[in-house]
Amino acid sequence: MANMSSFPYDNDLLGLESTQSAAPAVSSTYDIDLLGLEFIEAPIPLLPSPNNVDLEGLDFSELPATDKSPCHGIGLESLNALEPARIGASLAGETDLPGWVIGKAAPSAMENTEEVSPSSEDSEQEFEEAKATPQQKAVRSKSEYKMKFERWRLQHAKIMTDEEIRIRQQAVPDESLSVRELMQKDQPQKITAPREYQIELFERAKKQNTVAVLDTGSGKTLIAVLLLRHVLDQELEDRSAGRKPRVAFFLVDSVTLVFQQYEFLKVNLDQPIECFCGEMGTDYWSKAVWQRHLEKNMIILCTAEILNRCLTRSFISITQINLLIFDEAHHAKKSHPYARIIKDFYITEEDRTKRPKVFGMTASPVDVRSDFGQAAKELEVMLHSQIATTADLALLRTSVSRPNEEVLKYAKPQYPYNTRLCQELEARFGHMKTLSEFFRDSKNAASELGEWCADQLWSYAMAEKEAVKLERKIEKIFDNERNRKPVEVLDNEVRDLREAQTFVKGWTFKEPVMEVNSLSSKALVLWQYLNLIYERPTDARCIVFVKLRSTARLLGELFARIGSPHLRLGILIGTRQGDPGDVKLTFRQQMMTLHKFKKGDVNCLVLLPRAPYAVLRQFCKSLPADRLLQGNDADLDIALLQAMNSRTFIVPESGARLTYASSLDILGQFVSRLSDGSSPNFVVTAEHGQYVCEVVLPESSPLHSATGRPYSRKTIAKRSAAFEACILLRQQGHLDEHLESTHHKRLPAMRNAHLALGMNKSSSYDMKVKPRIWQDTRGSSPESLYMTIMELKNPQNLGRPSQPIALLTRTRMPDLPCALLHLQVNKSSDLVYSSLQNSFQIPKTALSRLNAFTLRIYKDVFNKKFENDESAMSYWFAPVTEGFRNMFSEKSPEKLVDWAIVDYVAQNEAWNWDIERPDSELQDRYMVDKWDGSRRFFSIKVMPNLRPQDPVPQDAAPHKYMNTILDYTVSLFSKSRQHAIWRQDQPVIYAHRLLHRLNWLDEYTEEENKVKRNAYVCPEPLLFSALPASVAAMAYLLPSAISRIESYLIALETCDLLGLTIRPDLALEAITKDSDNTQEHRQEQVHLQRGMGKNYERLEFIGDCFLKMATSISIFCISPDNDEYEYHVRRMLLICNKNLFERAIDKKLYEYVRSVGFSRRTWYPQGIRLLEGKGFKRSGEEEHKHRLGDKTIADVCEALIGAALLSNDGNGDMDMAVKAVTALVVSPDHDVSQWADYYKLYTKPKYQLEQPNATQRDLAMQIEQKMGYRFKHPRLLQSAFVHPSIPSSSTGGIPCYQRLEFLGDSLLDMACVNFMFHRHPNQDPQWLTEHKMAMVSNKFLAALSVKLGFNKHLRAIGQAVEFLNRDYAMDLEEAERESNGARDYWTTTKNPPKCLSDIVEAYLGAIFVDSEFDYSEIERFFDNHVRWFFEDMSIYDTFANNHPVTHLHNLLTLSLGCSNYRIMASTIPNAAGTDIGHQVAVVMIHGEVIASGTAASSKNAKVKASEKALEQLKGLAP
């Protein structure tokens, strides 16, 4: 056994020679295989060896000892970062999902990687990207810019030295590091002494193409390094001889491996090397970019898809490559990029001397289920190579640390069986196919792990989030079924699933106990063994291998409950999207677990093995004695060409290669650059047992369509059509020599762009759609009701008579604002809600009649039939009598109900028409088509000149039957119409068809304006509703009326959650997010939700300002002696979006955000079951989700603060806003509930209370004469004029103005924002922000300082300060004299010294403190000295434009009509991504960086970059 004490890394894991010493006297350690459990552990002092016994399922293996707490085990050589490529594949979960690896470069969206037989489930998603909506394309455009910027950033950051990087990395806590930084923290060691078998395989790889098959940990990457050194040496010789340069490509299968292998190669090779992955934006690189990289580097490490794309476009030719290294070479099959590179480019190069050498590496060349010989032959054929490995695994065992096998016994497990929980579940829900897998897994778990684990599986599967997955799975299966079942089947299955979830949630889960049945014999043996190891402190680190992800999770949970106190367990199971019940761990989480394991913070890992050791052993036994398995006798090139089963087109000018596999990608990119955003359409037809596909391109395409050849598979037929289309496009000159589109998408001119942060959706959250009040009050028949009358303020704008309707509820509705309804084109009216104070008693008979009336409205007006259950009703409707306003003073609200109408509707389902009724009775009726619920009419008059058999007049609204008026009236299907008999002598009614419009909160659209509404109908086929037409007309407004009421109620619930009292209209505005990019002003809104009213953006603007002021005051009071920097830091922690977001998440504020507009489905009452009609058919509460960005949630917090402030606007009461800040920042730095509490927090400092001297008293007197305020504490005033250059020792202990400036800055901000907000109620926050810049700018405040004579009182040391002040004052006085009274004269001066503006803010801070926090003094100062300058804000439009970022924005969008640009900023990393504490910003136009700037903050970096860009754009003609 080897002691590795002299090495910081376990080099022996790579098969390297190392300094060895005698092994310490320790007992054996073990490798356990427990039915899919393998356990590997480091040395354990004084642990006795178990007896050697032959038992099924358990292996114990002795490991070498080290004094570095080493970690040994199959598949974990990367733990010390010496062969990092391996662990990425393990974490990707290769065992569970063959061929899929986390971070893998995604294949083209146009290409399926595997062909399938024709079926109804054939994928139709190849052109999903091309079908994207304009909003999706905008998001994609942002992503493209982000990738390009990221690439530029990485290159820019290479100025950092490796030593600086290493020092910074070591200083940063592990939890703060990125995944890549964690991988780099332990630098790989340089290889100096390869093993004998590595040299042997290297020599073989020099002579011929080779696939090295070696076990994990045996140093395959080292062989690749040796081969790279050899090839690079030869390449240097070739270049010196004048031959064309060639480059080596090291190909990997995932993005993770790109960075891992790059770090290892960079350490062990001294030639230029670069790594690339798709996230760097390589898809958008041109041939010129690639040529630069080829010229600069001798080795390129990248994902295989990148090279495949370059070869396809002929950016690179196969002859420019001298070596191809395939990591994880067993992926080379079917349509994997490895296989495509070989089939499409390698073997098609006829001159074999120009082909690159091939070297493959793999630890698992075959699948457990594969025939070893056949699989090896296929791999050799595919890679044009021969497999090589060691003749005997014993050779590896002597070179690489391997455990000696021992065996433990455990009792034979029981056959799979049901636990008691599973039995009850199966009895009730065994019929559900969705749960069949869980029943099976539970039985197996009971047998293999024990009953406790089996029951835990159900708790995982029926957790709330997992049940949602199952429900979606059920719905997806239902939607995909060929023979569609009634929707009731789906409802029943979802109901059963929810009942199962409720049953499991109510089950009492016992704690595990150490006895049979609770745990299986196998699990008990494992527990006993681990307990023996970890019963006392130890440096041992162990690994338990399992076959199933669920086993890993169960063992982790089990040992967390019953494990030894010294056992610290973690799990590594891959990052694939798990099935319902599966645990989901991110790649970063698992890398952190791995890092903790290396450090010893975790000492036991449960993980999935990548390739069982037994598989490799069995494979090696199948190889011939010379360790080489000979290839096929047939010519490999011919075999591969036959396997391709497709055609190839080569562009002669460039050598670009078009194949069936690449045609979808090339055609997709061509279509994506067309201007109309359309997508191609593939039409597949069956002919004589084969499929023929025609691809139809968008109208804007120069080629209309192309037809492919017949094939037996749909996927190949589609590719054939795409192939033919690409050839035609190339022939017509629409594809260039590299098969790139010659068309470029034109973006609309003058389109606005926005420079602020986007509102990216990041997470899905629960969303309330109904207020809590309905659920809380349902459940019984009420004995009394409250009334809220809903009436139109301008009923004439409806266009027909209407009657107010009362909303009757169990509890009184709050006083609610009006809702603006758009009734006709350019005609609207407020809907007034009048909530009466008094309730009234409601007898059961009267309630029954009200219930019937309400249900009749639902049926006749909205075509919905609900069950008749008074106790489940949330509210009722009732018509209100005429002249009800004269009765408001009465104490009996029931008298306001028009009971005559209620009784008539309750007793009659309809008004019956017969031929004897006079025509006058047909006027002003509400009529419903019995067979088409969407057709409803208001009758106007009888048309005596028309007969039922007359043609339909031309001005009638369209209908499917238009032959005669009688045909037009009847909506029966053709067969039923033949048997229907109607009177031919009935009258014809002229009527208005109702527009199918439920969202009256939204303005009329152009489409709605064009809809014809006249109708001519006969009475006999129609249903005449018992509802009076005036009641029906008002009832049509109920969806919007109720929807707005419920939004108000949810908004008020938000206030209750925070303990705030806010006006309902402001509360609703504060939580309303009406688009995906609500804050991106001056840009087209994405997914705009119409009719939601005002969104939160203006309230967020003023709330953000108050939050800044409130926290500034609090921090100033709590810590009066802190310096300004500390103030800023503490305030930032309070007001930052992260803090607001986290506090909002804690309070579940996301549930209350209104991000979805009016829904015609969700306005209906919950609680009563829908019997007929479209909509939810389940009773009870419905679960709804919406996606919100983190910043959105934080912005809503600020908007609520703004709403709290404005709710008491006008009376100067800011207590509610103060309370809102406390509720939302949740910090001891702001723990006040009213404005007066601020002053209570403030402790007057000693300098303020001391007796002032004559100079200080004189200063106070002068200020009083100028400003009209008399200071109680002159020393406080003196502090406002003390420059930081003066030490406090020379001022009698009076501090400089910086603390007061910090306070005054926020107070002035609030005064300015309050003025702007109310003065300009229709301006968006961006306009307000830009124009506020003038009011708070250094330039204006310095001018104001001189205007008020403050500059004369400034006390500073140094002639420079005095000179600058005097010079600026003279310049300002001259500007004012020459201005002819212009109020913006101060904008024409030179830039002033900052100290002049500072003392104005410090003065405001001083007057605020001296007045005992009287904010009215700040407002008085603003009104007297600031307001005059900004009465007309239009004169400062150009001032806002002077800001470099704003100026650049306006120049590009308004002057140059350019929208294809971005200003982006980020932290400067080193080449590996390490933060160095500076910010870099770039200006990118049409994807190219034209200017950059670097600063300590992103804001200043953007300013510098914009200034440089403006300089470059000077003189550019618009």
Side-chain angles (χ1 to χ4, degrees), residues 873-887:
M873 294 286 284
S874 299
Y875 45 79
W876 293 265
F877 300 123
V880 178
T881 59
E882 295 183 7
F884 71 92
R885 289 206 163 271
N886 298 326
M887 307 170 63

Side-chain angles (χ1 to χ4, degrees), residues 874-922:
S874 299
Y875 45 79
W876 293 265
F877 300 123
V880 178
T881 59
E882 295 183 7
F884 71 92
R885 289 206 163 271
N886 298 326
M887 307 170 63
F888 259 11
S889 59
E890 295 192 14
K891 296 183 178 180
S892 302
E894 69 273 13
K895 293 182 180 180
L896 300 180
V897 175
D898 194 331
W899 289 105
I901 294 178
V902 173
D903 292 343
Y904 180 81
V905 172
Q907 296 167 11
N908 299 276
E909 290 191 4
W911 178 80
N912 297 317
W913 173 85
D914 58 58
I915 197 68
E916 302 299 328
R917 287 188 179 271
D919 291 349
S920 60
E921 293 188 15
L922 290 175

Side-chain angles (χ1 to χ4, degrees), residues 45 112 144 161 206 316 330 456 516 602 606 662 680 719 883 938 1010 1064 1230 1239 1277 1295 1298 1331 1346 1373 1392 1509:
N112 293 326
E144 292 171 2
T161 66
K206 283 167 43 178
I316 300 172
H330 57 276
Q456 284 297 308
V516 179
V602 170
V606 182
S662 62
R719 290 174 178 175
F938 284 123
K1010 298 175 183 177
H1230 192 283
Y1239 188 67
L1277 173 62
Q1298 287 181 327
H1331 288 74
V1346 173
E1373 290 171 359

Side-chain angles (χ1 to χ4, degrees), residues 902-1069:
V902 173
D903 292 343
Y904 180 81
V905 172
Q907 296 167 11
N908 299 276
E909 290 191 4
W911 178 80
N912 297 317
W913 173 85
D914 58 58
I915 197 68
E916 302 299 328
R917 287 188 179 271
D919 291 349
S920 60
E921 293 188 15
L922 290 175
Q923 297 179 14
D924 199 25
R925 293 283 179 183
Y926 173 61
M927 304 175 295
V928 179
D929 189 329
K930 299 177 184 178
W931 301 284
D932 185 351
S934 65
R935 300 181 80 218
R936 298 176 178 84
F937 310 91
F938 284 123
S939 64
I940 306 300
K941 62 181 179 179
V942 173
M943 302 294 290
N945 59 327
L946 295 177
R947 296 291 178 264
Q949 293 303 322
D950 288 348
V952 179
Q954 293 183 354
D955 64 338
H959 185 46
K960 55 186 175 181
Y961 303 110
M962 298 287 289
N963 292 332
T964 67
I965 293 175
L966 187 57
D967 280 340
Y968 180 83
T969 306
V970 180
S971 295
L972 285 170
F973 290 115
S974 299
K975 291 184 179 180
S976 300
R977 297 170 72 87
Q978 296 174 4
H979 304 292
I981 300 176
W982 310 104
R983 297 184 65 104
Q984 300 300 313
D985 59 344
Q986 58 183 306
V988 173
I989 304 172
Y990 169 61
H992 285 169
R993 181 178 175 179
L994 273 73
L995 183 65
H996 197 59
R997 186 175 204 265
L998 297 183
N999 187 9
W1000 302 91
L1001 298 166
D1002 184 20
E1003 294 183 8
Y1004 270 73
T1005 63
E1006 292 184 8
E1007 291 74 14
E1008 288 176 314
N1009 293 341
K1010 298 175 183 177
V1011 174
K1012 292 182 178 180
R1013 304 183 191 181
N1014 293 333
Y1016 300 87
V1017 295
C1018 298
E1020 187 179 8
L1022 298 177
L1023 180 145
F1024 286 79
S1025 175
L1027 294 170
S1030 60
V1031 173
M1034 190 67 183
Y1036 261 95
L1037 307 180
L1038 288 177
S1040 299
I1042 297 301
S1043 177
R1044 183 50 56 90
I1045 287 176
E1046 291 181 336
S1047 294
Y1048 281 137
L1049 293 177
I1050 291 174
L1052 293 177
E1053 286 180 13
T1054 311
C1055 301
D1056 293 339
L1057 177 72
L1058 301 172
L1060 305 176
T1061 302
I1062 299 177
R1063 277 173 28 201
D1065 56 328
L1066 293 173
L1068 179 57
E1069 181 180 343

Side-chain angles (χ1 to χ4, degrees), residues 3-21:
N3 188 337
M4 307 299 297
S5 59
S6 60
F7 288 82
Y9 304 96
D10 186 2
N11 291 334
D12 194 46
L13 293 177
L14 270 176
L16 306 179
E17 296 290 349
S18 60
T19 305
Q20 301 186 11
S21 59

Side-chain angles (χ1 to χ4, degrees), residues 1188-1448:
L1188 299 173
D1190 295 354
K1191 190 174 186 301
T1192 296
I1193 298 175
D1195 287 347
V1196 167
C1197 294
E1198 294 175 334
L1200 285 167
I1201 295 172
L1205 175 66
L1206 296 178
S1207 291
N1208 295 285
D1209 194 29
N1211 58 16
D1213 184 1
M1214 295 188 283
D1215 287 351
M1216 197 54 60
V1218 172
K1219 191 175 181 180
V1221 172
T1222 300
L1224 290 165
V1225 300
V1226 190
S1227 169
D1229 277 350
H1230 192 283
D1231 189 15
V1232 293
S1233 58
Q1234 55 186 352
W1235 184 267
D1237 291 342
Y1238 287 132
Y1239 188 67
K1240 295 176 182 177
L1241 287 177
Y1242 180 66
T1243 301
K1244 295 177 183 177
K1246 182 179 179 181
Y1247 86 88
Q1248 179 180 343
L1249 297 174
E1250 289 181 354
Q1251 189 68 26
N1253 58 31
T1255 302
Q1256 294 158 356
R1257 290 194 299 271
D1258 180 68
L1259 173 63
M1261 183 185 65
Q1262 293 185 51
I1263 292 296
E1264 181 182 359
Q1265 292 173 352
K1266 294 176 185 176
M1267 309 301 299
Y1269 178 82
R1270 182 175 185 176
F1271 269 84
K1272 307 180 190 73
H1273 303 285
R1275 289 173 62 87
L1276 181 66
L1277 173 62
Q1278 179 71 74
S1279 177
F1281 296 103
V1282 175
H1283 193 271
S1285 61
I1286 296 183
S1288 59
S1289 59
S1290 62
T1291 60
I1294 297 177
C1296 72
Y1297 60 61
Q1298 287 181 327
R1299 294 184 181 90
L1300 292 173
E1301 180 225 334
F1302 168 82
L1303 179 61
D1305 168 74
S1306 64
L1307 294 166
L1308 178 62
D1309 253 15
M1310 189 69 239
C1312 294
V1313 165
N1314 194 51
F1315 167 77
M1316 295 285 291
F1317 187 91
H1318 292 88
R1319 183 85 173 203
H1320 304 281
N1322 297 319
Q1323 295 292 354
D1324 65 57
Q1326 184 170 334
W1327 187 94
L1328 296 174
T1329 300
E1330 291 173 351
H1331 288 74
K1332 187 197 76 168
M1333 290 167 55
M1335 305 177 76
V1336 298
S1337 65
N1338 287 332
K1339 209 165 190 177
F1340 169 70
L1341 293 180
L1344 183 62
S1345 179
V1346 173
K1347 183 78 173 176
L1348 298 175
F1350 285 179
N1351 59 315
K1352 299 177 182 178
H1353 304 297
L1354 178 65
R1355 299 182 62 185
I1357 293 179
Q1359 293 182 353
V1361 174
E1362 184 180 352
F1363 172 78
L1364 289 173
N1365 289 344
R1366 185 171 62 251
D1367 186 54
Y1368 172 74
M1370 293 174 60
D1371 187 43
L1372 181 70
E1373 290 171 359
E1374 183 180 355
E1376 185 176 9
R1377 280 196 305 270
E1378 297 178 357
S1379 66
N1380 295 322
R1383 301 188 185 193
D1384 62 342
Y1385 67 88
W1386 54 269
T1387 62
T1388 62
T1389 64
K1390 63 178 68 174
N1391 289 330
K1394 187 176 182 299
C1395 59
L1396 293 180
S1397 60
D1398 289 344
I1399 57 178
V1400 173
E1401 295 173 334
Y1403 170 79
L1404 289 173
I1407 202 174
F1408 181 73
V1409 173
D1410 190 76
S1411 65
E1412 299 182 355
F1413 292 25
D1414 184 356
Y1415 183 74
S1416 65
E1417 289 293 338
I1418 305 300
E1419 293 179 317
R1420 188 172 69 86
F1421 175 89
F1422 180 88
D1423 291 338
N1424 292 341
H1425 306 293
V1426 178
R1427 179 190 289 267
W1428 179 84
F1429 289 92
F1430 301 102
E1431 295 286 353
D1432 181 8
M1433 288 302 300
S1434 63
I1435 63 177
Y1436 297 107
D1437 288 344
T1438 57
F1439 182 88
N1441 198 43
N1442 286 334
H1443 190 278
V1445 177
T1446 304
H1447 188 185
L1448 179 63

Side-chain angles (χ1 to χ4, degrees), residues 211-253:
V211 177
V213 178
L214 292 175
D215 190 15
T216 302
S218 54
K220 295 183 293 297
T221 307
L222 171 59
I223 303 173
V225 168
L226 296 175
L227 184 59
L228 276 167
R229 290 175 180 173
H230 167 75
V231 171
L232 294 180
D233 289 343
Q234 184 61 48
E235 174 63 20
L236 292 173
E237 292 290 337
D238 291 344
R239 293 186 181 186
S240 63
R243 298 186 181 92
K244 292 183 178 180
R246 303 173 81 192
V247 176
F249 272 82
F250 193 118
L251 304 180
V252 296
D253 190 51

